[in-house]
Amino acid sequence: NAGVTQTPKFQVLKTGQSMTLQCAQDMNHEYMSWYRQDPGMGLRLIHYSVGAGITDQGEVPNGYNVSRSTTEDFPLRLLSAAPSQTSVYFCASSDRVGEKLFFGSGTQLSVL
Amino acid sequence: DAKTTQPNSMESNEEEPVHLPCNHSTISGTDYIHWYRQLPSQGPEYVIHGLTSNVNNRMASLAIAEDRKSSTLILHRATLRDAAVYYCIRPNNNDMRFGAGTRLTVKP
């Protein structure tokens, strides 16, 4: 099993550009989530999903969209990148909410 | 609102036990308590989780108070590689929110 796979590992964007961060898991997990981590800070929840077709907002959802068309994939879309979105983004999954979370290796995003 | 409270930082000497506290006074009867840690420049990794009774695994032990309003992560012999930020988490409705965690420094 590959676990939770995030792509790309690094990305540089210009202000106003859009892009999609990819997250895939091969463990048939129902629960998936996206976090961002600013330098020296803890993780903050952006969006989460408790199953295919179901998504919900976390603590800091503004500027991001998600969809969950399959159990395996949970992409995070930046609609119009801003310097404030410069951060490390982590995707995580678990069998159900409240169960052990498995994390991807992260995407380092810089918005200039 | 992560719904847990942890000290910002703690220090330990190498090869001594470390007790990392966490308060979760509003926890419901069915919520598990989770601990994760984040080593420098890495993503978070699972440490341990439990519901009521104390739990042990190869990494740590988790002591849960009888009223479940607090818990303590125990590292039996801290090593330099245990220096990390430790997060205590409980489910928040349908999501898992991390707070700021406790930064553990291990001194040789």
Side-chain angles (χ1 to χ4, degrees):
Chain A
N1 285 352
V4 180
T5 303
Q6 288 185 238
T7 55
K9 292 192 183 300
F10 301 94
Q11 182 71 49
V12 179
L13 293 177
K14 294 180 180 179
T15 298
Q17 287 184 315
S18 62
M19 80 157 293
T20 300
L21 306 185
Q22 301 292 344
C23 177
Q25 51 90 9
D26 61 358
M27 297 172 282
N28 201 34
H29 284 168
E30 291 295 323
Y31 181 82
M32 296 185 74
S33 53
W34 277 102
Y35 297 88
R36 61 175 287 175
Q37 186 171 35
D38 299 336
M41 307 290 286
L43 283 79
R44 291 185 292 169
L45 182 67
I46 305 172
H47 285 285
Y48 65 95
S49 167
V50 298
I54 305 169
T55 63
D56 210 340
Q57 296 181 350
E59 304 168 86
V60 288
N62 292 341
Y64 307 95
N65 274 355
V66 291
S67 60
R68 185 94 182 271
S69 56
T70 66
T71 298
E72 295 78 19
D73 299 299
F74 191 43
L76 177 73
R77 296 183 189 84
L78 280 70
L79 308 172
S80 177
S84 61
Q85 294 178 303
T86 293
S87 191
V88 179
Y89 291 83
F90 291 102
C91 178
S93 74
S94 64
D95 195 22
R96 296 183 301 276
V97 63
E99 297 289 327
K100 173 183 175 181
L101 280 169
F102 293 78
F103 281 85
S105 57
T107 296
Q108 175 102 46
L109 176 68
S110 296
V111 183
L112 306 178
Chain B
D1 180 9
K3 297 183 183 292
T4 62
T5 304
Q6 300 177 252
N8 289 335
S9 61
M10 291 185 64
E11 283 189 355
S12 170
N13 293 319
E14 195 176 12
E15 298 192 2
E16 290 186 356
V18 182
H19 291 233
L20 298 165
C22 180
N23 287 323
H24 30 77
S25 58
T26 61
I27 196 168
S28 75
T30 58
D31 287 343
Y32 278 77
I33 299 148
H34 291 242
W35 284 82
Y36 291 80
R37 74 178 186 180
Q38 189 172 22
L39 303 173
S41 301
Q42 295 191 25
E45 64 175 350
Y46 169 83
V47 177
I48 200 167
H49 76 292
L51 184 61
T52 54
S53 56
N54 296 344
V55 184
N56 300 293
N57 66 21
R58 62 174 183 83
M59 289 181 69
S61 295
L62 177 59
I64 301 171
E66 198 168 332
D67 63 7
R68 296 196 356 104
K69 293 184 177 182
S70 65
S71 61
T72 302
L73 180 72
I74 302 166
L75 307 179
H76 295 285
R77 289 185 63 195
T79 70
L80 297 178
R81 289 174 295 179
D82 290 322
V85 178
Y86 288 79
Y87 297 97
C88 166
I89 302 157
R90 48 156 288 203
N92 175 60
N93 294 321
N94 275 335
D95 64 52
M96 297 279 279
R97 300 188 182 193
F98 286 61
T102 297
R103 182 173 298 278
L104 175 66
T105 301
V106 180
K107 296 182 290 184

